[in-house]
Every structure is written in C-alpha cells, then in structure tokens.
Amino acid sequence: MSLAKARALAGGLKWNHLGFAFFWAAAFVSLTSPVEGFATDLALFSFFKQLVTILSCLAVAAVMRHRCWFPPNSAFAAGVMMSAGSLMYYLAFFYGEYTIAACLLSALLVGGSCGWFYVMWQSFYASEGSTRTTIYIPLSCALSSVICVMVLNLPLEWTVLLAVVALPSAAAWALHASLSEIEPYQVRPMRRADLFILVRNTWKPVFCVCVLGFVWRIVGYLAPESAGSSWVVMIAMGAAALLVAGIELLSDEGINVMRMYQYLFPLITAACLMPTFLGEASFGLVHGAIMFGFEVLNLFLLITCAIYASRQSYNSAMVYVICVCPTLLSLLLGDVVGAKIGAKGILDATLAIEVLFACVYLMAVVMFLISTGRARKRQATERAVDCALDYSPQPDTRRDEVHKGAALVADATSDEETNLPASASADDEGGRAAGASATEGPSGLAVVGSLATEPLSPRELEVLDLILKGNTVAAISKKLFISENTVRGHFKHIYRKMNVHSKQELVDLLG
C-alpha cells in the first residue's frame, strides 16, 4: 500500500469506526475478573454465555434473513442489554449473594447482546468495502487490547464503572454512528446453490480457525495459575492485531487463512514443545503463542466474511453465521473438554505434555488436509497446462509462458475459494476491464453544467467521471480511497442533481 493511500485511509478514519474495540473490551475482559470461591459458577456462566451468544447470532440472522439493514437504534438496545448483564454479573459475584438464577440471567443478557453486536458490526464492515474493512477490524482489536490492559490495572470499583456504564455506552454510540453511515444497496438473496458454494469455498479456512481455537481453549486449562496471566494474553492479542494490520497495509496481495496457518504451524508446534524442556512454568507462554495464532487467523476470517458478503452482495448476517458460528462453537467445545480434563488432575506434568502432543497431532492433521488440497490443485493445473501444450500449434518454447499463465489462474482460484482479504482485489480489475470496454470519445462531463439541476461538487464530478468510464462502486472506492458507503452517497447526490434514477439512465444521458 502506498503512503498516499495510507494517509487517505487515516484521514477518513472516524472514532466510531473502531467502536468494536469498546464492545470487545466489555465482553471479554471486564467480565472475566477472577473471583475467589466461584470457579465452578464462573465456568457455568462462561458456558451459558457462549451458548447464548451462538443462539443469538443464529436468531438475529434468521430475523434479518429477508431484511438487509439494522435500524441504528438497535445499537442502543444491545448496549442496554450489555450494561444490564454486566451489572447483574457484578452484583451476583462481587456485591451480593450468589444465586444460579442471577448467574444464568447475567449470561443470558451478556450473551444475547454479544450475538447482536457481532452481527450488526459485521453488517457495517460489509458495507464499507474491502479496503477499509481490512484496516478497521485489526485496529479495533489492537485498541481493545490497550483498553483491556488499562482495565486490568484499575481498582474493582473503576472496573465495574467501566464495564457497566462507560464501555457499553461507548460501544452503543459507536455502533449507532456506524450504522447511520450505511448507504442501502441491493442485496442478493442467498439461494441453496449460493449457500453450497459459500460452504465449499470457506470450509477449510473455517476448519483451520476452529481447530486452533479448540486447542487454545484446552491449553488454557493445563496450568490455570499460568494460563490466567492476562498480560501474556493481551500482548498476544495486540501482537496479532498489529501483524494483520501490517500485512494489509504493506502487502499488495494480502494473505489468506490457510497460507497463514502454514506459516504459524511451526511457531505453535515449537511453543507446544517448550514444557518438555522448561517445565510447567512455560505453560503460560504456550497459551499465549496459541492465542496469538488463533487471533491472527480469526481476524483474517472476520475480514474474509465481510469482504465476501460485500463482493457477492449477500446478506452479511447469513455469511457471518455460516463462517464464524462454527468458530464460536469450537471455543465452547474446547472449554468443555478442557474443564473435563482439568477436573481429572491435569496439573500432572506428564499428562499435560501428552495433551499438548495430542493438540499438535490435531493441528498436523489440519496441515495435511491443507497440503493435500493444494497438491491436488497444482496437479489439476499441470494437467491443464499439458492439455494446452498438446493442442497448441506454438513451439515448445511457450511452455514457460503457459505455466506462468496457469499459475496465475490457480492463484486467482485459490483467492476466490479462500476469500482472500487482499488490498488489490478483483474489484480493481473489474473496474479497469469495465473502463476498457466503455465507449471512448469526448467525456460526458462537458455537458453536466447544462443538464444538472444543481452544481456538482468537485468530488461528485470526480466520481461521475469514473462512473462514465465504467467503474464499479468497489473500484471507485479503491481509486479514491473512500468507503463504499461514501461512494453510494455520491451516487445518490449525482442522481438527484442530474434528475435520473439509475446508473444506466446517467450513462445514457451523458454518454
């Protein structure tokens, strides 16, 4: 990414675009404060909260199946639920007499608001386009790490104030402002065939994230006294966010989930071997390393979901549920298995190391599946190249060119199947192709002044010029370094001032 593009993105960044950080901090740190004497009850709270979160995501997606946009005021309802759940949590575990009913009610409110927040934020990210989504999500995660570290060092009274009032309020206001920026656009209904294609194209990346999340939660139970080191977890989370943001900012091609899993596998395997040489004291570092790997893959998956929904014009809630809910379920299952193992005396070093090796084996199986898929794709590419050479009248000196072209096709297919969140997307290519096929000749801008009912602003003239050259919304967004919502807003203003109702009418009028 060029320096000019980075500056343009930073210039268009608003505080509410990173508001997911407030929700993340409220949900994952403020409500995980250690409480002496309530280990079993906290486990019950955590289990029920995660279960309700999954069910809430499914319910919201089902309700929004035939509706495309969330009313901005929905953010305040979710914020009130989060605040009420946080208040009930602290009253039950810190300031009042604990009851099962209070625990379950708190989990119900917090879990329900989490699912609601997840899906609504995803709808905003999907509407912003790939360029900004790849920055908003990791930066929000990095900011949440900073907030979490601050909360962990505050007295209990201040933590309660932040968890019950400040963080839910900030999360609700930020989401309300973000939802208000969405410019409605036409969303295609997801048919059964589309659903099948989505599952086929994303099951491997989703499986990678699920396995790593499952392993991360199990390892968290190996040595509770070290795995509870919040500093290690927060540092790992912040490092993961910065890594993803750096890749998206500095790389022109981006990276997909499966490729990143291959890069992370040696690091995680080495971390899992540390207890063999360093003993139980290293379990905290193992937990942090696996958490780092999981967070990196999870951020890429969130970006992938938003970009897929945006490029295919699908309902973002449906895409999110299909791709991310399995990850939430894997975390829940990891907690269940980890709790069962911990109840049987997992602090025994030998048994703990055996569990680690079992986790490494599970991750190696995933690596095998990924490698097998890529090997088959390469074999198919080679067969296609051989067929092309057999029937080509050109001499064999073109073999290198054919192989090069086939490799590009294979890379494009790989990116499509794994929904690569790259900075240079197919939308740019689509915009250039459309521009090349557009009618050449004098620009229609020359007659705008005589046809417009109101003068067009310089930015609107710039957008109009790109429209007449055949660029799509996504392509204009990337070329002008503005969000897709902003582009749609310019479209509406241009249509109104030119007294037309569609892009085709505008092209016919000025073409």
Side-chain angles (χ1 to χ4, degrees):
M1 180 181 292
S2 64
L3 182 60
K5 185 174 182 179
R7 288 177 177 174
L9 289 175
L13 191 66
K14 301 179 182 178
W15 76 272
N16 57 282
H17 295 160
L18 304 181
F20 194 55
F22 303 120
F23 156 69
W24 242 333
F28 295 109
V29 173
S30 300
L31 300 180
T32 56
S33 302
V35 185
E36 296 181 1
F38 287 100
T40 303
D41 303 310
L42 282 174
L44 175 64
F45 169 82
S46 178
F47 172 81
F48 194 62
K49 183 189 74 172
Q50 293 180 76
L51 180 61
V52 173
T53 299
I54 297 172
L55 296 177
S56 176
C57 289
L58 295 172
V60 173
V63 171
M64 297 299 295
R65 183 177 181 181
H66 301 293
R67 299 178 59 186
C68 301
W69 319 114
F70 289 93
N73 289 335
S74 300
F76 294 130
V80 170
M81 285 183 63
M82 172 66 74
S83 180
S86 302
L87 178 62
M88 184 65 66
Y89 171 85
Y90 285 106
L91 288 177
F93 288 98
F94 288 87
Y95 296 107
E97 185 176 352
Y98 172 81
T99 62
I100 292 292
C103 174
L104 296 181
L105 179 59
S106 174
L108 178 64
L109 292 172
V110 174
S113 64
C114 284
W116 208 350
F117 268 114
Y118 280 143
V119 179
M120 286 193 291
W121 271 112
Q122 192 70 10
S123 69
F124 168 70
Y125 292 139
S127 70
E128 282 289 279
S130 60
T131 302
R132 291 181 175 267
T133 297
T134 55
I135 302 302
Y136 290 165
I137 293 179
L139 288 184
S140 296
C141 180
L143 179 59
S144 71
S145 300
V146 175
I147 297 175
C148 292
V149 170
M150 295 172 59
V151 171
L152 291 172
N153 290 276
L154 292 176
L156 177 61
E157 292 74 15
W158 285 99
T159 300
V160 173
L161 180 63
L162 288 173
V164 176
V165 180
L167 291 176
S169 299
W173 276 106
L175 180 57
H176 178 273
S178 299
L179 293 178
S180 300
E181 294 180 10
I182 296 179
E183 291 289 347
Y185 58 95
Q186 187 176 4
V187 176
R188 291 195 298 145
M190 184 174 289
R191 301 165 299 178
R192 184 173 300 179
D194 299 324
L195 179 62
F196 174 78
I197 294 174
L198 172 61
V199 173
R200 185 190 65 186
N201 290 344
T202 59
W203 77 267
K204 282 188 177 181
V206 171
F207 186 57
C208 291
V209 179
C210 289
V211 169
L212 206 53
F214 179 76
V215 170
W216 167 50
R217 287 304 178 94
I218 290 179
V219 172
Y221 288 85
L222 295 180
E225 68 278 3
S226 60
S229 177
S230 300
W231 282 97
V232 175
V233 173
M234 289 301 104
I235 291 174
M237 185 175 177
L242 293 177
L243 175 63
V244 174
I247 290 175
E248 296 299 341
L249 282 172
L250 302 177
S251 173
D252 291 332
E253 297 181 354
I255 195 166
N256 60 42
V257 174
M258 296 192 295
R259 190 180 306 165
M260 179 56 70
Y261 184 90
Q262 291 178 317
Y263 295 155
L264 291 173
F265 180 76
L267 171 65
I268 297 174
T269 301
C272 290
L273 295 176
M274 290 175 60
T276 306
F277 305 100
L278 303 179
E280 296 180 14
S282 61
F283 274 115
L285 294 177
V286 176
H287 185 245
I290 298 177
M291 194 274 179
F292 168 79
F294 167 75
E295 195 61 33
V296 169
L297 296 187
N298 188 49
L299 289 174
F300 275 118
L301 183 60
L302 291 175
I303 294 171
T304 293
C305 292
I307 294 178
Y308 190 96
S310 175
R311 290 180 180 176
Q312 303 297 328
S313 298
Y314 286 146
N315 188 312
S316 60
M318 296 296 297
V319 176
Y320 183 86
V321 165
I322 294 170
C323 295
V324 179
C325 274
T327 302
L328 299 177
L329 182 60
S330 71
L331 297 178
L332 178 60
L333 294 177
D335 278 336
V336 172
V337 175
K340 291 291 185 181
I341 297 175
K344 297 181 179 181
I346 192 60
L347 294 181
D348 177 76
T350 303
L351 182 57
I353 292 175
E354 289 177 356
V355 173
L356 280 178
F357 276 106
C359 292
V360 171
Y361 177 78
L362 180 60
M363 292 185 290
V365 170
V366 177
M367 177 65 74
F368 171 76
L369 292 175
I370 294 174
S371 302
T372 301
R374 290 184 176 274
R376 290 177 179 175
K377 184 171 296 183
R378 285 194 298 268
Q379 292 174 2
T381 302
E382 292 294 333
R383 287 195 297 268
V385 170
D386 292 338
C387 291
L389 290 173
D390 289 340
Y391 292 97
S392 174
Q394 302 297 329
D396 290 342
T397 55
R398 294 184 66 251
R399 176 178 294 273
D400 293 337
E401 296 180 6
V402 175
H403 274 277
K404 183 178 179 181
L408 293 174
V409 172
D411 290 341
T413 305
S414 175
D415 291 347
E416 180 182 353
E417 292 186 355
T418 56
N419 303 298
L420 175 64
S423 299
S425 71
D427 294 330
D428 284 333
E429 298 177 1
R432 288 193 294 268
S437 62
T439 303
E440 298 181 358
S443 172
L445 297 180
V447 296
V448 168
S450 60
L451 296 177
T453 58
E454 299 179 36
L456 270 65
S457 67
R459 175 64 86 180
E460 289 169 350
L461 288 172
E462 196 172 8
V463 172
L464 177 58
D465 182 47
L466 292 174
I467 293 174
L468 296 178
K469 291 179 179 179
N471 288 273
T472 63
V473 171
I476 295 174
S477 170
K478 291 178 180 297
K479 291 180 179 180
L480 300 183
F481 309 135
I482 56 179
S483 72
E484 292 187 12
N485 282 318
T486 303
V487 175
R488 296 187 193 98
H490 287 315
F491 270 51
K492 289 174 59 177
H493 296 157
I494 293 172
Y495 291 168
R496 176 176 55 81
K497 293 179 180 180
M498 298 302 299
N499 196 24
V500 296
H501 303 89
S502 67
K503 182 178 179 180
Q504 188 58 50
E505 288 186 26
L506 182 65
V507 173
D508 292 340
L509 178 65
L510 301 177

